[in-house]
Amino acid sequence: MIDSQSLWYDEGNSARMTTRSFSEIAQASRNDVHPPGYYVVLNLWSRYLGTTEFGLRSISALLGVVCVCLIGVIVRKMYGDLAAIICFVLASLHPALVYYSQEARMYSLCVTMSVACVYFYIRIISEARIKSLVYSGYVICSVIGLYTHYVFALITFVVNFAFLLRMFINRIRNNVHVPVKAWFISHIIIFLCYLPWLSIGVNHLISWPATKALDPWTIWNILTTWKWLVLGQTVLLDDVYIGLVCYLFTVFIFVKSRKVDVIELWFLVPVLIILGSGLGTEAFEKFFIISVPAVVIAGGVGLAIMVNSHSYVFKVLGLIFCVIVISYKYLSLVNLYFNDKYSRDDYRTLVYDLEALNRDKDVVIVNAPNQMEVINYYDKGMVEFVPVANSRPLETTNEIRRLEMLADKYTRIKAVYWGDEQTDASGVIETWLNSNAFKYSETWYGQVRLIEFYVDDISDFEYLGVKMDNFILDSYGLNSKEFNPGEVVVVSLNWYTVDITSDMYKVFVHVSSSSNLPPVAQHDSYPMGGVMPTSSWSAGEMVLDRHGVYLPIDLQSGEYEVYTGMYSDDDGKRLSIDGKSEDEKILLSKIYVRSND
């Protein structure tokens, strides 16, 4: 079902737009990086289908069906029934088309308008008597497409390039002229319709803070782009080389069988421009979606040519290639639906967990303020959220002051991180929290990270002076000796090293009922949450390392022991105490956990 997965970051923005008026959508889009067309369509759609996950995504699903049907119509008109059937199947199973048909974003609308424009273009240049309805359809789809996504302008460029190419060829051959006047008038109308947004769109494109590939023409980038165009984003390149080679051969058969026309230009021009502009990165590879229908048509028609061949060998080879290509599409679709690696960020579960474990004096900070739109979609008002990192660039002094105020007011600070490289590239917020609070949990919800910190101040330390290889644990401190289930054992460790090292070690803190039993709770991390890795320590420098260990809510009452130690990040081998291989952890203290009754 299209509502089986949570809405993610961008879909939260779409959901928020359904609550706004058209003028508010236009104003919000001025401050966004996308034009308002899709949001207006979604706003109208949600008035009838609602704003549930199903309601928000259903318009994309419907458009996906229309897109596949239009591909079949185009191919049947140009290449016959067999090619249309093959292309219909390939389009229906294309993982990228399926993926974006299940997302409340503008890409399904954009690609459907792209296919529709090519369909109307083909009718315009192939039919002797063209009805005004065909031109109207072309104009309407072009305007909707341009107001949906800026990448649609590449489709407008492609069809005009194809039109001029055909006009040039026809004049050389003294054929009947293509309808230049009507075509020109159509684009004057398109231009006038888009004129109110033109300056805003240009400004968006100029000021867009996109992270671009430094060298877009590497073999790896080209291969991953081809993989995306053929099999989508939900499969690894190393797993599908055979399928990609087979499909490339079918495209070669297609190109070899005809002169360059709109399908070839539709396939190549957007891909080359997107790659050449450095936008062929993982974050923006979805822009290739506008060329996927052309890739489907080229490969599908190539397969039809092979299957229709008079050569028995070529015919059998075509059938084998069909099976291979479809099997790899199936593999990609299986990953899409059943491999968590390719699931959307799970804000639904994130908010549910925050609500279930919420306590008095808990606060949740959100590092990318626009995350609040998807969080508010699921939030029932039980948790206090505070957006941080609001400014670009980050104002360090103001953010630290805000964190200090939160630490004075709350006991637990839970941080929701997404897109750290854009919102807080230098890690100001996380560094401050690791240096001033006790991290006790880190959980991933797709690409969203939830880190939980306990705020406390430990002033009483007990001297140890225990040596582990080159490292010496000078002293430690605990926040208490008695706890309730669900509370956090706060541990401060004062380390220093005798000699500097380039090796990376992690520190563990375990709570166990006995030294020879597995821990009932633990926390492992680099010193100070990675702020002070062991490779950066100077000889004799004292490092205050903070750890929090969350005691499970169902933990049985009784006496427990708190241990600490270090292990190598490379091989997981623990350091021993004073060279004694049998001693790999230091007993810090005994604690008592009360009954949860």
Side-chain angles (χ1 to χ4, degrees), residues 11 13-15 17-18 37-47 50 55-60 104-105:
E11 289 181 293
N13 179 253
S14 300
M17 289 293 191
T18 62
Y38 168 76
Y39 299 130
V40 171
V41 172
L42 183 65
N43 187 291
L44 292 170
W45 181 265
S46 66
R47 297 181 186 185
L56 293 173
R57 288 171 172 164
S58 56
I59 180 65
S60 295
R105 294 297 287 165

Side-chain angles (χ1 to χ4, degrees), residues 97-374:
L97 294 179
V98 172
Y99 184 90
Y100 289 104
S101 293
Q102 299 179 0
E103 183 170 276
R105 294 297 287 165
M106 63 283 300
Y107 299 100
S108 187
L109 177 59
C110 183
V111 71
T112 302
M113 292 302 100
S114 300
V115 177
C117 278
V118 173
Y119 165 74
F120 287 120
Y121 163 80
I122 291 170
R123 290 194 59 182
I124 288 171
I125 55 96
S126 63
E127 296 179 4
R129 300 182 63 182
I130 307 168
K131 296 180 180 179
S132 58
L133 191 62
V134 176
Y135 281 108
S136 298
Y138 175 78
V139 169
I140 291 171
C141 290
S142 295
V143 172
I144 293 174
L146 289 169
Y147 273 103
T148 297
H149 200 289
Y150 296 122
V151 76
F152 183 87
L154 296 177
I155 296 299
T156 303
F157 175 78
V158 163
V159 292
N160 277 279
F161 190 5
F163 184 88
L164 292 173
L165 183 63
R166 177 172 288 270
M167 183 176 67
F168 177 74
I169 293 173
N170 283 358
R171 285 189 174 180
I172 290 178
R173 297 178 178 176
N174 293 319
N175 289 344
V176 177
H177 292 328
V178 290
V180 177
K181 182 178 179 181
W183 184 259
F184 180 76
I185 292 173
S186 297
H187 284 82
I188 290 294
I189 296 172
I190 293 170
F191 175 78
L192 292 175
C193 289
Y194 193 68
L195 187 59
W197 194 260
L198 183 60
S199 61
I200 301 170
V202 171
N203 182 61
H204 281 173
L205 293 175
I206 293 174
S207 60
W208 187 26
T211 303
K212 299 181 180 181
L214 297 177
D215 186 4
W217 299 111
T218 63
I219 297 297
W220 177 258
N221 281 344
I222 293 171
L223 288 175
T224 53
T225 298
W226 179 238
K227 185 267 299 182
W228 202 99
L229 289 166
V230 177
L231 298 170
Q233 69 272 46
T234 50
V235 70
L236 296 177
L237 178 62
D238 291 342
D239 296 334
V240 294
Y241 280 116
I242 295 175
L244 296 180
V245 171
C246 292
Y247 205 85
L248 183 62
F249 183 80
T250 65
V251 172
F252 172 75
I253 296 297
F254 168 78
V255 174
K256 185 174 178 293
S257 68
R258 47 181 276 122
K259 298 178 177 65
V260 174
D261 204 344
V262 67
I263 304 300
E264 292 86 346
L265 295 173
W266 184 12
F267 171 9
L268 287 173
V269 173
V271 172
L272 294 177
I273 292 176
I274 293 170
L275 262 182
S277 61
L279 295 177
T281 60
E282 183 178 357
F284 303 111
E285 61 187 4
K286 55 194 171 187
F287 293 173
F288 292 128
I289 191 76
I290 61 170
S291 284
V292 165
V295 175
V296 168
I297 293 172
V301 174
L303 286 169
I305 293 172
M306 294 177 70
V307 172
N308 268 332
S309 173
H310 296 297
S311 168
Y312 178 77
V313 174
F314 217 52
K315 187 186 295 286
V316 172
L317 194 61
L319 292 172
I320 293 173
F321 280 13
C322 279
V323 173
I324 291 174
V325 170
I326 290 175
S327 66
Y328 279 115
K329 286 182 180 289
Y330 173 77
L331 171 64
S332 189
L333 286 172
V334 168
N335 285 336
L336 171 62
Y337 286 108
F338 302 109
N339 190 332
D340 291 340
K341 176 182 177 181
Y342 301 102
S343 297
R344 292 176 176 86
D345 299 335
D346 194 359
Y347 282 94
R348 181 201 297 159
T349 302
L350 167 67
V351 174
Y352 174 83
D353 288 347
L354 288 171
E355 290 177 344
L357 298 175
N358 187 56
R359 293 183 169 211
D360 291 338
K361 292 200 169 184
D362 280 12
V363 67
V364 180
I365 62 173
V366 182
N367 80 318
N370 284 347
Q371 282 191 100
M372 288 307 304
E373 293 177 338
V374 66

Side-chain angles (χ1 to χ4, degrees), residues 446-512:
Q447 298 298 313
V448 182
R449 188 165 49 118
L450 173 64
I451 304 182
E452 301 178 70
F453 296 88
Y454 193 87
V455 180
D456 206 339
D457 184 21
I458 296 178
S459 56
D460 294 331
F461 286 83
E462 183 173 334
Y463 175 76
L464 285 176
V466 178
K467 185 178 181 182
M468 304 188 79
D469 198 41
N470 286 327
F471 302 99
I472 295 177
L473 179 57
D474 179 81
S475 56
Y476 79 94
L478 288 179
N479 59 331
S480 178
K481 293 294 182 70
E482 293 188 1
F483 298 89
N484 293 318
E487 292 184 337
V488 178
V489 179
V490 169
V491 182
S492 285
L493 305 172
N494 282 317
W495 297 93
Y496 67 91
T497 182
V498 177
D499 297 310
I500 60 173
T501 179
S502 60
D503 296 330
M504 299 279 285
Y505 291 93
K506 283 187 174 180
V507 176
F508 67 84
V509 177
H510 289 176
V511 175
S512 304

Side-chain angles (χ1 to χ4, degrees), residues 524-587:
D524 296 35
S525 76
Y526 295 111
M528 288 183 65
V531 175
M532 287 289 291
T534 53
S535 58
S536 69
W537 292 9
S538 301
E541 176 189 13
M542 192 70 72
V543 176
L544 176 60
D545 187 20
R546 300 167 180 264
H547 295 266
V549 182
Y550 176 78
L551 299 176
I553 197 69
D554 58 351
L555 186 62
Q556 293 183 353
S557 62
E559 190 175 68
Y560 293 87
E561 298 171 337
V562 181
Y563 293 90
T564 190
M566 281 188 175
Y567 61 90
S568 171
D569 188 38
D570 293 329
D571 56 16
K573 184 178 180 180
R574 290 184 181 180
L575 298 183
S576 57
I577 300 174
D578 293 328
K580 300 176 183 178
S581 59
E582 68 276 8
D583 295 331
E584 297 177 335
K585 54 186 178 181
I586 303 168
L587 175 62

Side-chain angles (χ1 to χ4, degrees), residues 395-406 432:
E395 296 179 0
T396 302
T397 303
N398 290 341
E399 291 301 332
I400 290 177
R401 186 180 299 116
R402 189 203 307 264
L403 292 170
E404 289 172 343
M405 293 173 62
L406 292 173
W432 189 92

